[in-house]
Amino acid sequence: QVQLVESGGGLVQAGGSLRLSCAASGLTFSSYVVGWFRQAPGKEREIVAAIRSAGRTYYSDSVKGRFTISRDNAKNTVYLQMNNLKPEDTAVYYCAAGVWSGFGSSRYNYWGQGTQVTVSS
């Protein structure tokens, strides 16, 4: 049974940092593209970052230069380092694993339960 478990969310002031973790069981992350998504209240879910099996990374324009996605294959875990957080980054953040077909168009088959990130002004 595949499980993705996110952790690391919380409340932080604007300008602060958080590191989200996504730990997988039942699959090998290094064989998949792993994406971080977020969904704010009343808004559609959007992808913010992705890392391919070979390690290439992709970011949405809204987080580029502030967020960094990385992977520890030994721990089967993907991270999202979020720096210089803004109130508009407030959302539930999800990780997902799938098959690459482009940033924003890959098919993600496995999803975590989400972790809340709240950035206060």
Side-chain angles (χ1 to χ4, degrees):
Q1 182 180 359
V2 174
Q3 269 194 320
L4 305 184
V5 179
E6 300 99 334
S7 61
L11 173 64
V12 64
Q13 288 188 333
S17 298
L18 284 173
R19 188 177 81 155
L20 306 183
S21 299
C22 175
S25 59
L27 62 77
T28 302
F29 259 163
S30 59
S31 299
Y32 293 82
V33 57
V34 178
W36 281 99
F37 296 76
R38 67 186 181 188
Q39 187 166 21
K43 294 188 176 182
E44 291 189 355
R45 186 178 62 201
E46 62 172 342
I47 186 167
V48 296
I51 184 165
R52 296 177 64 177
S53 57
R56 186 167 180 178
T57 58
Y58 301 80
Y59 301 93
S60 67
D61 288 343
S62 62
V63 307
K64 198 173 294 182
R66 300 188 298 123
F67 290 12
T68 302
I69 188 171
S70 62
R71 185 174 62 216
D72 185 332
N73 290 336
K75 295 183 178 179
N76 212 24
T77 299
V78 171
Y79 304 98
L80 185 68
Q81 177 68 44
M82 305 186 295
N83 298 329
N84 190 22
L85 282 160
K86 304 176 181 181
E88 52 264 40
D89 295 318
T90 296
V92 178
Y93 283 71
Y94 302 88
C95 67
V99 178
W100 175 260
S101 61
F103 183 62
S105 59
S106 296
R107 186 177 74 250
Y108 290 90
N109 301 310
Y110 306 104
W111 291 84
Q113 83 288 350
T115 185
Q116 176 71 46
V117 171
T118 303
V119 184
S120 63
S121 57

